[in-house]
Amino acid sequence: MGLRKLIKKSKKEKPVSSDFKKLKLLVTVVNRNKTEFFLDLISHLGANFQTSVLAHGTAKSETLSLLGLEDSDKSVIFSVIREDLVEDILHKIDECFHRIRGGKGIAFTIPLSSVIGVAIYRFLSDNRS
């Protein structure tokens, strides 16, 4: 089979998914001792790819004690999630920030404008069909 026939054949195939969802990067900053908890939580809520990095807060010790914060060792968790899951995930994270002892933090999303490759998109969006 020639290259031209392969190109024509692949153009006729149906798109990857008619259920295309945009992706967002979820950034969550938490106390270092709560990293595993939030990694598990976000994973169970639909993130297929996550990584965390160690961080250190910049506030002075006087400011920390004034605010009732004991630790400046932080973790920043980067998670790729589908746009349709953002509201639910942020709600659950906020709930944990209020209910868990020492579970304070911050979470926000950044839109992703492109992803290279269909296989990578399928993996990140958890679309394996």
Side-chain angles (χ1 to χ4, degrees), residues 65-76:
S65 63
L66 187 67
L67 295 173
L69 303 172
E70 64 283 345
D71 196 6
S72 63
D73 289 335
K74 306 290 180 196
S75 286
V76 181

Side-chain angles (χ1 to χ4, degrees), residues 17 50 86 97 114-115:
S17 173
Q50 296 187 91
V86 169
F97 286 163
S114 63
V115 174

Side-chain angles (χ1 to χ4, degrees), residues 41-57:
L41 173 71
I42 297 167
S43 176
H44 288 299
L45 293 173
N48 208 33
F49 174 78
Q50 296 187 91
T51 189
S52 67
V53 295
L54 302 179
H56 189 74

Side-chain angles (χ1 to χ4, degrees), residues 26-110:
L26 171 66
V27 181
T28 312
V29 182
V30 296
N31 288 332
R32 197 172 291 173
N33 62 350
K34 299 296 181 188
T35 304
E36 289 299 320
F37 172 82
F38 281 100
L39 282 169
D40 288 343
L41 173 71
I42 297 167
S43 176
H44 288 299
L45 293 173
N48 208 33
F49 174 78
Q50 296 187 91
T51 189
S52 67
V53 295
L54 302 179
H56 189 74
T58 59
K60 296 181 180 180
S61 59
E62 301 86 36
T63 307
L64 289 172
S65 63
L66 187 67
L67 295 173
L69 303 172
E70 64 283 345
D71 196 6
S72 63
D73 289 335
K74 306 290 180 196
S75 286
V76 181
I77 302 169
F78 297 98
S79 313
V80 178
I81 58 175
R82 290 193 331 246
E83 187 176 50
D84 61 322
L85 300 175
V86 169
E87 188 176 330
D88 185 44
I89 291 173
L90 286 176
H91 176 73
K92 295 285 186 190
I93 291 172
D94 184 53
E95 216 174 81
C96 289
F97 286 163
H98 288 91
R99 290 187 179 179
I100 295 173
R101 183 178 193 153
K104 297 176 183 166
I106 184 171
F108 58 92
T109 60
I110 302 169

